[in-house]
Amino acid sequence: MAAAFTSHSTLVMKFGGTSVGTPGAMAQVASLIERYRQDWPHIVVVTSALSGVTDTLLRTARKAAQGEMVSLRQARADLETRHRRVVEALLPQGVQDPVWFVIQNRLDAFVRLVEAMAVLGEATPRGLDAVAALGERMSAPLLARVLEVRGLPAVTVDAGDLVVTDAHFQAAHPLVEPTRQRIQQRLAPLLEEGRIPVVTGFLGATEDGVTTTLGRGGSDYSASLIASLLPADEVWIWTDVNGVMTADPRLVPEARTVPRLSYREVAELAYFGAKVLHPKAIRPVIEAGIPLRVRNTFDPDGPDTLILARRDDAEPGRIMALTVIRDLAMVIVEGRGMLGVPGVAARTFAAVAGTNTSVLMISLASSEQSICFIVPQNTTRKVIAALEEAFQQELARKDIDRIWAMEPVAIITAVGEGLRNTPGVAGRLFGALGQAGVNIVAIAQGASEVALSLVVNQDDVLAALQALHPLTG
Ligand code: ASP
Ligand code: MG
């Protein structure tokens, strides 16, 4: 086994789908790698599939399993065109063939896998992972080749040889020790030779070599996992926005980049719907204490967000950012006869769990005679049906008067270190909302220390965000 890689000059850069989605974008990525190589002797690149490719692959497979085969030919043609454009724009004619051969092979594999699913009339999670992984298995060799023609010593590394996972297809869990070993054996020596590994994000393989994926958006997770096990000194997630914003700029035009966030803040933001980072991506770097930056491929000199274990500038109670999750329902179980009856809450959540619905938030309502919680709106009917069945007797006896839902509602979450424990913060939030005429339907119970969540009617989201945004920063 190779010696542990110990250099303190290693950077992992992950590029998202839009960053590699067009010839222009991929050329920009190559320039960025070229540029930062001047400062960082060891660079590992992790790439997503070209934007939209994973969606196309999975959609086609699912349709085929339902007997709809017409889209396969079209999908193959579209995928071929997307990659061909990059090949033709960025690679001189003489060197196009080898990478084009790889891409054609992947597309052939795609067709064979999807045809098999059509024959079986079934798309298993295992099969879907084999299909989904093909996107990165095309983008990584392509990017590596683009780097090579610029004179950079890039080499494609398939994460199937690097990231060892369990067999939980479509949301596989990496196995840390075997993955660490592979990284030391395969990645570290390449870095020591001065090569630039270009690793397929998103995917891994079981110990037996069966392809798995880490879940949609999982390339961030790949990058932070690899960084934590090398270990690297920093991870940069390159995307198409200027880091983490104080709010969604489409809703709040004054939204700004948040310059620094703590791991805890970013974890809450990811959990509560901010799409900048995969929620799981943060954990490996937290444990390893590696700073992570979120940067804009298309504005590399513009503002970005640095995510650190602790913010030295943390003023407790300052709101750093606001996020929204929409299309939710607040389910309410209410009745005077519930007061003091033990086990009602446990039975409520057991019934909900039985429908395989995840509860986003348990809330405090104005009345003590009710239990309220938030679920995705599209699960409302099955959740209420399950509760009505579980509480049949109580409903008949009128101990429970009603099980109903208020919908659509949205959760607005304010994130900031010490938010929950700093006196006056909730008051300021409520005051701002009151002035804007926004009614707070519920507030979060037992939310994390760094987050404060409110439920509002979906119609009030815009007014609420605009009222709250001046409190950020
Ligand atoms: N390509 C995968 C997806 O679209 C993984 C990623 O881009 O993070 O989900
Ligand atoms: Mg992503």
Side-chain angles (χ1 to χ4, degrees), residues 48-49 54 136 202 216-219:
S48 286
T54 315
E136 275 72 9
F202 182 44
R216 291 307 307 272
S219 293

Side-chain angles (χ1 to χ4, degrees), residues 305-316:
T305 302
L306 174 60
I307 299 162
L308 296 158
R310 240 168 241 91
R311 276 196 294 122
D312 37 24
D313 60 340
E315 266 173 55

Side-chain angles (χ1 to χ4, degrees), residues 198-213:
V198 179
V199 184
T200 55
F202 182 44
L203 64 101
T206 63
E207 233 134 1
D208 302 336
V210 181
T211 297
T212 55
T213 68

Side-chain angles (χ1 to χ4, degrees), residues 32 101 109 178 199 248 250 261 430:
L32 290 172
F101 180 75
V199 184
D248 182 341
R250 287 165 304 182
L261 283 171
F430 296 165

Side-chain angles (χ1 to χ4, degrees), residues 37-65:
R37 196 169 140 75
Q38 327 259 318
D39 310 332
W40 295 82
H42 305 298
I43 290 183
V44 177
V45 174
V46 176
T47 186
S48 286
L50 275 59
S51 50
V53 165
T54 315
D55 286 330
T56 302
L57 292 167
L58 287 171
R59 195 176 349 100
T60 312
R62 291 207 174 92
K63 279 190 184 161

Side-chain angles (χ1 to χ4, degrees), residues 59-89:
R59 195 176 349 100
T60 312
R62 291 207 174 92
K63 279 190 184 161
Q66 290 160 10
E68 200 192 309
M69 284 294 283
V70 281
S71 55
L72 175 56
R73 195 190 288 259
Q74 188 59 46
R76 192 195 196 282
D78 289 348
L79 293 172
E80 188 172 311
T81 308
R82 289 289 306 281
H83 292 87
R84 189 201 299 277
R85 271 197 202 122
V86 181
V87 168
E88 285 177 353

Side-chain angles (χ1 to χ4, degrees), residues 268-269 272 413-420 444 447-453:
E268 289 298 321
L269 283 170
F272 283 109
T413 303
V415 169
E417 286 289 339
L419 258 197
R420 214 183 43 143
S448 94
E449 242 176 87
V450 303
L452 208 142
S453 294

